[in-house]
């Protein structure tokens, strides 16, 4: 895959990829993040890019269109080039629910990220664990594998 390209996959109708130029064509949002990094102390950055939820809506997640709350069953896993990954819930980024303005930043502190790839920026996090640089893949998945429908889930003691 080309540098700066993000694969969109999972429980979606439109699997594919999006590059930084595609991200620039979407409405841009500015967010500031401030978090405590265990190794380098307090960090502050300003990112510009499209909202993560708007990028993911283009992939057409497999929501039940007749059930508004069906979206709340979906998880979003974001992977960076360095192997770092984090999971968000759809309800967390959906403006009808929590509406966290997570962005796929195409610029950081005024510098274009370009081939380095977009950066997931999650405002409000106190730790930088969900700030993912060089995003290469995003998967949207329902929680179906976590819950066995119609069956009792057994737990080990």
């Amino acid at each position: 895959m080309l540098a700066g390209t993000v694969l969109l996959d999972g429980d979606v109708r439109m699997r594919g990829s999006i590059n930084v130029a595609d991200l620039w064509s979407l409405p841009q949002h500015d967010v500031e993040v401030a978090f405590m990094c265990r190794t380098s102390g307090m960090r502050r950055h300003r990112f510009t890019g499209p909202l993560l939820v708007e990028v993911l809506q283009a992939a057409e997640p497999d929501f039940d269109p007749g059930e508004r709350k069906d979206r709340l069953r979906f998880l979003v896993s974001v992977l960076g080039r360095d192997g770092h990954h984090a999971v968000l819930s759809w309800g967390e980024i959906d403006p009808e629910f929590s509406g966290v303005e997570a962005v796929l930043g195409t610029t950081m502190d005024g510098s274009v990220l370009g081939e380095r790839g977009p950066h997931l920026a999650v405002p409000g996090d106190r730790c930088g664990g969900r700030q993912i640089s060089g995003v290469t893949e995003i998967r949207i998945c329902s929680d179906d594998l976590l819950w066995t429908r119609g069956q009792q889930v057994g737990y080990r003691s």
Side-chain angles (χ1 to χ4, degrees):
M1 186 175 320
L2 296 172
T5 300
V6 178
L7 177 66
L8 299 175
D9 202 358
D11 295 330
V12 297
R13 293 176 190 89
M14 300 293 294
R15 287 181 179 82
S17 60
I18 189 165
N19 61 38
V20 173
D22 297 326
L23 295 174
W24 284 329
S25 71
L26 297 170
Q28 301 292 293
H29 298 265
D30 293 320
V31 297
E32 291 185 17
V33 295
F35 55 87
M36 183 60 71
C37 178
R38 192 172 2 165
T39 58
S40 59
M42 187 56 119
R43 307 283 301 269
R44 296 180 190 283
H45 296 289
R46 182 176 191 81
F47 290 93
T48 301
L51 292 175
L52 176 62
V53 69
E54 291 175 356
V55 172
L56 301 180
Q57 285 169 336
E60 299 180 21
D62 286 333
F63 303 146
D64 178 346
E67 178 57 49
R68 178 174 173 249
K69 291 194 256 181
D70 189 54
R71 296 174 278 172
L72 300 178
R73 300 182 310 108
F74 285 76
L75 306 171
V76 177
S77 185
V78 181
L79 175 67
R81 185 174 292 111
D82 62 359
H84 182 68
H85 52 93
V87 175
L88 297 92
S89 71
W90 188 274
E92 181 178 7
I93 61 174
D94 190 310
E96 288 191 36
F97 295 98
S98 289
V100 171
E101 292 189 332
V103 300
L104 279 181
T106 55
T107 69
M108 181 174 89
D109 301 327
S111 297
V112 175
L113 295 172
E115 290 187 2
R116 289 183 280 173
H119 187 109
L120 175 65
V122 185
D125 281 6
R126 291 185 275 175
C127 167
R130 294 194 302 175
Q131 312 300 322
I132 310 281
S133 59
V135 173
T136 59
E137 187 171 346
I138 302 173
R139 290 183 184 222
I140 304 168
C141 299
S142 74
D143 69 352
D144 288 347
L145 294 178
L146 299 174
W147 304 102
T148 306
R149 292 189 177 158
Q151 296 180 14
Q152 189 95 15
V153 176
Y155 295 94
R156 294 182 190 175
S157 47

PDB file of all heavy atoms in Angstrom, residues 77-114:
ATOM      1  N   SER A  77     -11.453   0.211  15.108  1.00  0.00           N
ATOM      2  CA  SER A  77     -10.064  -0.076  15.475  1.00  0.00           C
ATOM      3  C   SER A  77      -9.145   0.625  14.483  1.00  0.00           C
ATOM      4  O   SER A  77      -9.304   0.482  13.267  1.00  0.00           O
ATOM      5  CB  SER A  77      -9.814  -1.589  15.462  1.00  0.00           C
ATOM      6  OG  SER A  77      -8.512  -1.867  15.931  1.00  0.00           O
ATOM      7  N   VAL A  78      -8.196   1.391  15.010  1.00  0.00           N
ATOM      8  CA  VAL A  78      -7.290   2.200  14.187  1.00  0.00           C
ATOM      9  C   VAL A  78      -5.870   1.690  14.382  1.00  0.00           C
ATOM     10  O   VAL A  78      -5.407   1.550  15.516  1.00  0.00           O
ATOM     11  CB  VAL A  78      -7.390   3.691  14.577  1.00  0.00           C
ATOM     12  CG1 VAL A  78      -6.481   4.543  13.717  1.00  0.00           C
ATOM     13  CG2 VAL A  78      -8.836   4.177  14.481  1.00  0.00           C
ATOM     14  N   LEU A  79      -5.187   1.415  13.275  1.00  0.00           N
ATOM     15  CA  LEU A  79      -3.831   0.866  13.290  1.00  0.00           C
ATOM     16  C   LEU A  79      -2.853   1.862  12.684  1.00  0.00           C
ATOM     17  O   LEU A  79      -3.110   2.423  11.620  1.00  0.00           O
ATOM     18  CB  LEU A  79      -3.789  -0.440  12.492  1.00  0.00           C
ATOM     19  CG  LEU A  79      -2.429  -1.106  12.293  1.00  0.00           C
ATOM     20  CD1 LEU A  79      -1.874  -1.613  13.623  1.00  0.00           C
ATOM     21  CD2 LEU A  79      -2.559  -2.249  11.292  1.00  0.00           C
ATOM     22  N   GLY A  80      -1.718   2.048  13.356  1.00  0.00           N
ATOM     23  CA  GLY A  80      -0.658   2.914  12.848  1.00  0.00           C
ATOM     24  C   GLY A  80       0.469   2.103  12.227  1.00  0.00           C
ATOM     25  O   GLY A  80       0.600   0.901  12.480  1.00  0.00           O
ATOM     26  N   ARG A  81       1.269   2.767  11.426  1.00  0.00           N
ATOM     27  CA  ARG A  81       2.397   2.126  10.730  1.00  0.00           C
ATOM     28  C   ARG A  81       3.348   1.424  11.698  1.00  0.00           C
ATOM     29  O   ARG A  81       3.941   0.403  11.381  1.00  0.00           O
ATOM     30  CB  ARG A  81       3.165   3.179   9.915  1.00  0.00           C
ATOM     31  CG  ARG A  81       4.269   2.602   9.055  1.00  0.00           C
ATOM     32  CD  ARG A  81       4.906   3.651   8.140  1.00  0.00           C
ATOM     33  NE  ARG A  81       3.940   4.073   7.130  1.00  0.00           N
ATOM     34  CZ  ARG A  81       3.375   5.280   7.081  1.00  0.00           C
ATOM     35  NH1 ARG A  81       3.693   6.194   7.956  1.00  0.00           N
ATOM     36  NH2 ARG A  81       2.500   5.579   6.143  1.00  0.00           N
ATOM     37  N   ASP A  82       3.479   1.947  12.923  1.00  0.00           N
ATOM     38  CA  ASP A  82       4.394   1.355  13.905  1.00  0.00           C
ATOM     39  C   ASP A  82       3.778   0.185  14.672  1.00  0.00           C
ATOM     40  O   ASP A  82       4.392  -0.363  15.585  1.00  0.00           O
ATOM     41  CB  ASP A  82       4.870   2.427  14.888  1.00  0.00           C
ATOM     42  CG  ASP A  82       3.744   3.041  15.697  1.00  0.00           C
ATOM     43  OD1 ASP A  82       2.561   2.671  15.507  1.00  0.00           O
ATOM     44  OD2 ASP A  82       4.046   3.924  16.530  1.00  0.00           O
ATOM     45  N   GLY A  83       2.538  -0.202  14.311  1.00  0.00           N
ATOM     46  CA  GLY A  83       1.877  -1.317  14.988  1.00  0.00           C
ATOM     47  C   GLY A  83       0.999  -0.899  16.155  1.00  0.00           C
ATOM     48  O   GLY A  83       0.250  -1.706  16.694  1.00  0.00           O
ATOM     49  N   HIS A  84       1.095   0.368  16.567  1.00  0.00           N
ATOM     50  CA  HIS A  84       0.262   0.865  17.665  1.00  0.00           C
ATOM     51  C   HIS A  84      -1.188   0.911  17.186  1.00  0.00           C
ATOM     52  O   HIS A  84      -1.460   1.328  16.063  1.00  0.00           O
ATOM     53  CB  HIS A  84       0.738   2.260  18.077  1.00  0.00           C
ATOM     54  CG  HIS A  84      -0.015   2.847  19.220  1.00  0.00           C
ATOM     55  ND1 HIS A  84       0.061   2.342  20.495  1.00  0.00           N
ATOM     56  CD2 HIS A  84      -0.869   3.891  19.278  1.00  0.00           C
ATOM     57  CE1 HIS A  84      -0.707   3.064  21.291  1.00  0.00           C
ATOM     58  NE2 HIS A  84      -1.294   4.005  20.576  1.00  0.00           N
ATOM     59  N   HIS A  85      -2.118   0.462  18.021  1.00  0.00           N
ATOM     60  CA  HIS A  85      -3.522   0.499  17.647  1.00  0.00           C
ATOM     61  C   HIS A  85      -4.378   0.785  18.862  1.00  0.00           C
ATOM     62  O   HIS A  85      -3.956   0.581  20.007  1.00  0.00           O
ATOM     63  CB  HIS A  85      -3.968  -0.795  16.955  1.00  0.00           C
ATOM     64  CG  HIS A  85      -3.628  -2.038  17.703  1.00  0.00           C
ATOM     65  ND1 HIS A  85      -4.494  -2.642  18.575  1.00  0.00           N
ATOM     66  CD2 HIS A  85      -2.498  -2.782  17.712  1.00  0.00           C
ATOM     67  CE1 HIS A  85      -3.922  -3.714  19.082  1.00  0.00           C
ATOM     68  NE2 HIS A  85      -2.706  -3.822  18.576  1.00  0.00           N
ATOM     69  N   ALA A  86      -5.584   1.289  18.588  1.00  0.00           N
ATOM     70  CA  ALA A  86      -6.527   1.609  19.648  1.00  0.00           C
ATOM     71  C   ALA A  86      -7.941   1.424  19.115  1.00  0.00           C
ATOM     72  O   ALA A  86      -8.170   1.451  17.909  1.00  0.00           O
ATOM     73  CB  ALA A  86      -6.328   3.049  20.120  1.00  0.00           C
ATOM     74  N   VAL A  87      -8.880   1.246  20.042  1.00  0.00           N
ATOM     75  CA  VAL A  87     -10.269   1.023  19.690  1.00  0.00           C
ATOM     76  C   VAL A  87     -11.128   2.143  20.269  1.00  0.00           C
ATOM     77  O   VAL A  87     -10.935   2.557  21.410  1.00  0.00           O
ATOM     78  CB  VAL A  87     -10.759  -0.345  20.233  1.00  0.00           C
ATOM     79  CG1 VAL A  87     -12.246  -0.535  19.989  1.00  0.00           C
ATOM     80  CG2 VAL A  87      -9.956  -1.480  19.622  1.00  0.00           C
ATOM     81  N   LEU A  88     -12.061   2.615  19.450  1.00  0.00           N
ATOM     82  CA  LEU A  88     -13.070   3.574  19.881  1.00  0.00           C
ATOM     83  C   LEU A  88     -14.428   2.936  19.624  1.00  0.00           C
ATOM     84  O   LEU A  88     -14.543   2.049  18.780  1.00  0.00           O
ATOM     85  CB  LEU A  88     -12.990   4.874  19.076  1.00  0.00           C
ATOM     86  CG  LEU A  88     -11.721   5.693  19.180  1.00  0.00           C
ATOM     87  CD1 LEU A  88     -10.739   5.314  18.101  1.00  0.00           C
ATOM     88  CD2 LEU A  88     -12.050   7.157  19.072  1.00  0.00           C
ATOM     89  N   SER A  89     -15.454   3.412  20.301  1.00  0.00           N
ATOM     90  CA  SER A  89     -16.805   2.933  19.999  1.00  0.00           C
ATOM     91  C   SER A  89     -17.453   3.909  19.021  1.00  0.00           C
ATOM     92  O   SER A  89     -17.132   5.098  19.014  1.00  0.00           O
ATOM     93  CB  SER A  89     -17.641   2.833  21.270  1.00  0.00           C
ATOM     94  OG  SER A  89     -17.966   4.121  21.751  1.00  0.00           O
ATOM     95  N   TRP A  90     -18.364   3.397  18.183  1.00  0.00           N
ATOM     96  CA  TRP A  90     -19.053   4.269  17.238  1.00  0.00           C
ATOM     97  C   TRP A  90     -19.844   5.340  17.992  1.00  0.00           C
ATOM     98  O   TRP A  90     -19.848   6.505  17.617  1.00  0.00           O
ATOM     99  CB  TRP A  90     -19.976   3.469  16.318  1.00  0.00           C
ATOM    100  CG  TRP A  90     -20.512   4.363  15.255  1.00  0.00           C
ATOM    101  CD1 TRP A  90     -21.612   5.167  15.334  1.00  0.00           C
ATOM    102  CD2 TRP A  90     -19.926   4.611  13.984  1.00  0.00           C
ATOM    103  NE1 TRP A  90     -21.757   5.886  14.172  1.00  0.00           N
ATOM    104  CE2 TRP A  90     -20.726   5.556  13.330  1.00  0.00           C
ATOM    105  CE3 TRP A  90     -18.802   4.103  13.330  1.00  0.00           C
ATOM    106  CZ2 TRP A  90     -20.451   6.021  12.053  1.00  0.00           C
ATOM    107  CZ3 TRP A  90     -18.530   4.554  12.046  1.00  0.00           C
ATOM    108  CH2 TRP A  90     -19.344   5.511  11.427  1.00  0.00           C
ATOM    109  N   GLY A  91     -20.506   4.959  19.079  1.00  0.00           N
ATOM    110  CA  GLY A  91     -21.295   5.914  19.854  1.00  0.00           C
ATOM    111  C   GLY A  91     -20.468   7.056  20.398  1.00  0.00           C
ATOM    112  O   GLY A  91     -20.966   8.162  20.597  1.00  0.00           O
ATOM    113  N   GLU A  92     -19.212   6.805  20.636  1.00  0.00           N
ATOM    114  CA  GLU A  92     -18.304   7.832  21.146  1.00  0.00           C
ATOM    115  C   GLU A  92     -18.072   8.943  20.113  1.00  0.00           C
ATOM    116  O   GLU A  92     -17.989  10.111  20.464  1.00  0.00           O
ATOM    117  CB  GLU A  92     -16.985   7.126  21.486  1.00  0.00           C
ATOM    118  CG  GLU A  92     -15.907   7.950  22.053  1.00  0.00           C
ATOM    119  CD  GLU A  92     -14.683   7.099  22.381  1.00  0.00           C
ATOM    120  OE1 GLU A  92     -14.631   5.897  22.037  1.00  0.00           O
ATOM    121  OE2 GLU A  92     -13.771   7.673  22.974  1.00  0.00           O
ATOM    122  N   ILE A  93     -17.978   8.578  18.826  1.00  0.00           N
ATOM    123  CA  ILE A  93     -17.662   9.570  17.794  1.00  0.00           C
ATOM    124  C   ILE A  93     -18.901  10.057  17.038  1.00  0.00           C
ATOM    125  O   ILE A  93     -18.816  11.034  16.289  1.00  0.00           O
ATOM    126  CB  ILE A  93     -16.613   9.034  16.791  1.00  0.00           C
ATOM    127  CG1 ILE A  93     -17.111   7.790  16.064  1.00  0.00           C
ATOM    128  CG2 ILE A  93     -15.290   8.789  17.514  1.00  0.00           C
ATOM    129  CD1 ILE A  93     -16.202   7.281  14.951  1.00  0.00           C
ATOM    130  N   ASP A  94     -20.030   9.411  17.214  1.00  0.00           N
ATOM    131  CA  ASP A  94     -21.258   9.778  16.523  1.00  0.00           C
ATOM    132  C   ASP A  94     -21.847  11.038  17.156  1.00  0.00           C
ATOM    133  O   ASP A  94     -22.071  11.083  18.363  1.00  0.00           O
ATOM    134  CB  ASP A  94     -22.260   8.621  16.624  1.00  0.00           C
ATOM    135  CG  ASP A  94     -23.466   8.796  15.739  1.00  0.00           C
ATOM    136  OD1 ASP A  94     -24.087   9.889  15.772  1.00  0.00           O
ATOM    137  OD2 ASP A  94     -23.811   7.850  15.017  1.00  0.00           O
ATOM    138  N   PRO A  95     -22.126  12.079  16.348  1.00  0.00           N
ATOM    139  CA  PRO A  95     -22.651  13.325  16.912  1.00  0.00           C
ATOM    140  C   PRO A  95     -24.027  13.182  17.568  1.00  0.00           C
ATOM    141  O   PRO A  95     -24.401  14.017  18.387  1.00  0.00           O
ATOM    142  CB  PRO A  95     -22.716  14.273  15.716  1.00  0.00           C
ATOM    143  CG  PRO A  95     -22.553  13.454  14.505  1.00  0.00           C
ATOM    144  CD  PRO A  95     -21.906  12.171  14.906  1.00  0.00           C
ATOM    145  N   GLU A  96     -24.774  12.120  17.272  1.00  0.00           N
ATOM    146  CA  GLU A  96     -26.065  11.905  17.930  1.00  0.00           C
ATOM    147  C   GLU A  96     -25.905  11.262  19.307  1.00  0.00           C
ATOM    148  O   GLU A  96     -26.886  11.159  20.051  1.00  0.00           O
ATOM    149  CB  GLU A  96     -26.967  11.035  17.054  1.00  0.00           C
ATOM    150  CG  GLU A  96     -27.475  11.759  15.836  1.00  0.00           C
ATOM    151  CD  GLU A  96     -28.566  10.974  15.124  1.00  0.00           C
ATOM    152  OE1 GLU A  96     -29.381  10.315  15.804  1.00  0.00           O
ATOM    153  OE2 GLU A  96     -28.579  11.027  13.889  1.00  0.00           O
ATOM    154  N   PHE A  97     -24.705  10.834  19.640  1.00  0.00           N
ATOM    155  CA  PHE A  97     -24.462  10.221  20.939  1.00  0.00           C
ATOM    156  C   PHE A  97     -23.405  11.055  21.668  1.00  0.00           C
ATOM    157  O   PHE A  97     -23.678  12.183  22.033  1.00  0.00           O
ATOM    158  CB  PHE A  97     -24.112   8.740  20.774  1.00  0.00           C
ATOM    159  CG  PHE A  97     -25.275   7.961  20.208  1.00  0.00           C
ATOM    160  CD1 PHE A  97     -25.345   7.658  18.854  1.00  0.00           C
ATOM    161  CD2 PHE A  97     -26.332   7.562  21.014  1.00  0.00           C
ATOM    162  CE1 PHE A  97     -26.443   6.977  18.321  1.00  0.00           C
ATOM    163  CE2 PHE A  97     -27.440   6.882  20.501  1.00  0.00           C
ATOM    164  CZ  PHE A  97     -27.486   6.592  19.146  1.00  0.00           C
ATOM    165  N   SER A  98     -22.186  10.594  21.859  1.00  0.00           N
ATOM    166  CA  SER A  98     -21.185  11.399  22.574  1.00  0.00           C
ATOM    167  C   SER A  98     -20.591  12.516  21.723  1.00  0.00           C
ATOM    168  O   SER A  98     -20.270  13.580  22.235  1.00  0.00           O
ATOM    169  CB  SER A  98     -20.053  10.513  23.090  1.00  0.00           C
ATOM    170  OG  SER A  98     -20.514   9.713  24.147  1.00  0.00           O
ATOM    171  N   GLY A  99     -20.393  12.265  20.444  1.00  0.00           N
ATOM    172  CA  GLY A  99     -19.917  13.317  19.550  1.00  0.00           C
ATOM    173  C   GLY A  99     -18.490  13.796  19.779  1.00  0.00           C
ATOM    174  O   GLY A  99     -18.186  14.953  19.522  1.00  0.00           O
ATOM    175  N   VAL A 100     -17.604  12.922  20.237  1.00  0.00           N
ATOM    176  CA  VAL A 100     -16.193  13.303  20.378  1.00  0.00           C
ATOM    177  C   VAL A 100     -15.648  13.640  18.992  1.00  0.00           C
ATOM    178  O   VAL A 100     -15.806  12.860  18.052  1.00  0.00           O
ATOM    179  CB  VAL A 100     -15.369  12.167  21.024  1.00  0.00           C
ATOM    180  CG1 VAL A 100     -13.880  12.465  20.985  1.00  0.00           C
ATOM    181  CG2 VAL A 100     -15.829  11.934  22.452  1.00  0.00           C
ATOM    182  N   GLU A 101     -15.039  14.792  18.854  1.00  0.00           N
ATOM    183  CA  GLU A 101     -14.559  15.255  17.550  1.00  0.00           C
ATOM    184  C   GLU A 101     -13.168  14.709  17.222  1.00  0.00           C
ATOM    185  O   GLU A 101     -12.222  15.460  16.981  1.00  0.00           O
ATOM    186  CB  GLU A 101     -14.586  16.769  17.481  1.00  0.00           C
ATOM    187  CG  GLU A 101     -15.998  17.319  17.480  1.00  0.00           C
ATOM    188  CD  GLU A 101     -16.058  18.801  17.185  1.00  0.00           C
ATOM    189  OE1 GLU A 101     -15.097  19.538  17.488  1.00  0.00           O
ATOM    190  OE2 GLU A 101     -17.087  19.228  16.636  1.00  0.00           O
ATOM    191  N   ALA A 102     -13.081  13.374  17.181  1.00  0.00           N
ATOM    192  CA  ALA A 102     -11.831  12.736  16.769  1.00  0.00           C
ATOM    193  C   ALA A 102     -11.608  13.048  15.293  1.00  0.00           C
ATOM    194  O   ALA A 102     -12.544  12.983  14.496  1.00  0.00           O
ATOM    195  CB  ALA A 102     -11.907  11.234  16.990  1.00  0.00           C
ATOM    196  N   VAL A 103     -10.391  13.397  14.929  1.00  0.00           N
ATOM    197  CA  VAL A 103     -10.086  13.709  13.525  1.00  0.00           C
ATOM    198  C   VAL A 103      -8.970  12.818  13.017  1.00  0.00           C
ATOM    199  O   VAL A 103      -8.156  12.302  13.783  1.00  0.00           O
ATOM    200  CB  VAL A 103      -9.680  15.190  13.298  1.00  0.00           C
ATOM    201  CG1 VAL A 103     -10.772  16.146  13.711  1.00  0.00           C
ATOM    202  CG2 VAL A 103      -8.374  15.519  13.973  1.00  0.00           C
ATOM    203  N   LEU A 104      -8.956  12.651  11.687  1.00  0.00           N
ATOM    204  CA  LEU A 104      -7.795  12.080  11.015  1.00  0.00           C
ATOM    205  C   LEU A 104      -6.998  13.281  10.533  1.00  0.00           C
ATOM    206  O   LEU A 104      -7.281  13.857   9.485  1.00  0.00           O
ATOM    207  CB  LEU A 104      -8.221  11.192   9.843  1.00  0.00           C
ATOM    208  CG  LEU A 104      -8.662   9.795  10.202  1.00  0.00           C
ATOM    209  CD1 LEU A 104      -9.034   9.012   8.953  1.00  0.00           C
ATOM    210  CD2 LEU A 104      -7.577   9.054  10.964  1.00  0.00           C
ATOM    211  N   GLY A 105      -6.050  13.670  11.335  1.00  0.00           N
ATOM    212  CA  GLY A 105      -5.293  14.885  11.058  1.00  0.00           C
ATOM    213  C   GLY A 105      -4.405  14.755   9.835  1.00  0.00           C
ATOM    214  O   GLY A 105      -3.641  13.800   9.701  1.00  0.00           O
ATOM    215  N   THR A 106      -4.525  15.727   8.942  1.00  0.00           N
ATOM    216  CA  THR A 106      -3.655  15.807   7.768  1.00  0.00           C
ATOM    217  C   THR A 106      -2.550  16.832   7.986  1.00  0.00           C
ATOM    218  O   THR A 106      -1.581  16.852   7.241  1.00  0.00           O
ATOM    219  CB  THR A 106      -4.464  16.159   6.512  1.00  0.00           C
ATOM    220  OG1 THR A 106      -5.189  17.372   6.756  1.00  0.00           O
ATOM    221  CG2 THR A 106      -5.429  15.044   6.160  1.00  0.00           C
ATOM    222  N   THR A 107      -2.716  17.667   9.023  1.00  0.00           N
ATOM    223  CA  THR A 107      -1.644  18.567   9.454  1.00  0.00           C
ATOM    224  C   THR A 107      -1.511  18.474  10.961  1.00  0.00           C
ATOM    225  O   THR A 107      -2.489  18.217  11.671  1.00  0.00           O
ATOM    226  CB  THR A 107      -1.904  20.044   9.064  1.00  0.00           C
ATOM    227  OG1 THR A 107      -2.996  20.547   9.839  1.00  0.00           O
ATOM    228  CG2 THR A 107      -2.171  20.212   7.582  1.00  0.00           C
ATOM    229  N   MET A 108      -0.294  18.657  11.441  1.00  0.00           N
ATOM    230  CA  MET A 108      -0.026  18.684  12.878  1.00  0.00           C
ATOM    231  C   MET A 108       0.819  19.911  13.156  1.00  0.00           C
ATOM    232  O   MET A 108       1.880  20.092  12.550  1.00  0.00           O
ATOM    233  CB  MET A 108       0.734  17.427  13.317  1.00  0.00           C
ATOM    234  CG  MET A 108       1.013  17.415  14.806  1.00  0.00           C
ATOM    235  SD  MET A 108       1.743  15.854  15.361  1.00  0.00           S
ATOM    236  CE  MET A 108       3.469  16.209  15.152  1.00  0.00           C
ATOM    237  N   ASP A 109       0.315  20.779  14.019  1.00  0.00           N
ATOM    238  CA  ASP A 109       1.017  22.011  14.384  1.00  0.00           C
ATOM    239  C   ASP A 109       1.420  22.812  13.145  1.00  0.00           C
ATOM    240  O   ASP A 109       2.506  23.384  13.076  1.00  0.00           O
ATOM    241  CB  ASP A 109       2.236  21.702  15.257  1.00  0.00           C
ATOM    242  CG  ASP A 109       1.851  20.979  16.535  1.00  0.00           C
ATOM    243  OD1 ASP A 109       0.743  21.236  17.060  1.00  0.00           O
ATOM    244  OD2 ASP A 109       2.641  20.144  17.007  1.00  0.00           O
ATOM    245  N   GLY A 110       0.549  22.806  12.136  1.00  0.00           N
ATOM    246  CA  GLY A 110       0.771  23.565  10.911  1.00  0.00           C
ATOM    247  C   GLY A 110       1.603  22.867   9.848  1.00  0.00           C
ATOM    248  O   GLY A 110       1.725  23.362   8.733  1.00  0.00           O
ATOM    249  N   SER A 111       2.160  21.700  10.150  1.00  0.00           N
ATOM    250  CA  SER A 111       2.964  20.960   9.172  1.00  0.00           C
ATOM    251  C   SER A 111       2.128  19.880   8.499  1.00  0.00           C
ATOM    252  O   SER A 111       1.437  19.111   9.183  1.00  0.00           O
ATOM    253  CB  SER A 111       4.165  20.283   9.846  1.00  0.00           C
ATOM    254  OG  SER A 111       5.019  21.243  10.398  1.00  0.00           O
ATOM    255  N   VAL A 112       2.198  19.814   7.178  1.00  0.00           N
ATOM    256  CA  VAL A 112       1.461  18.812   6.414  1.00  0.00           C
ATOM    257  C   VAL A 112       2.069  17.435   6.673  1.00  0.00           C
ATOM    258  O   VAL A 112       3.288  17.260   6.602  1.00  0.00           O
ATOM    259  CB  VAL A 112       1.498  19.153   4.907  1.00  0.00           C
ATOM    260  CG1 VAL A 112       0.851  18.053   4.087  1.00  0.00           C
ATOM    261  CG2 VAL A 112       0.806  20.486   4.654  1.00  0.00           C
ATOM    262  N   LEU A 113       1.209  16.458   6.968  1.00  0.00           N
ATOM    263  CA  LEU A 113       1.696  15.109   7.260  1.00  0.00           C
ATOM    264  C   LEU A 113       1.982  14.308   5.989  1.00  0.00           C
ATOM    265  O   LEU A 113       2.842  13.444   5.993  1.00  0.00           O
ATOM    266  CB  LEU A 113       0.702  14.377   8.160  1.00  0.00           C
ATOM    267  CG  LEU A 113       0.556  15.000   9.552  1.00  0.00           C
ATOM    268  CD1 LEU A 113      -0.585  14.343  10.317  1.00  0.00           C
ATOM    269  CD2 LEU A 113       1.849  14.894  10.326  1.00  0.00           C
ATOM    270  N   GLY A 114       1.254  14.558   4.918  1.00  0.00           N
ATOM    271  CA  GLY A 114       1.526  13.953   3.612  1.00  0.00           C
ATOM    272  C   GLY A 114       1.763  12.463   3.660  1.00  0.00           C
ATOM    273  O   GLY A 114       0.936  11.702   4.145  1.00  0.00           O
TER     274      GLY A 114
END
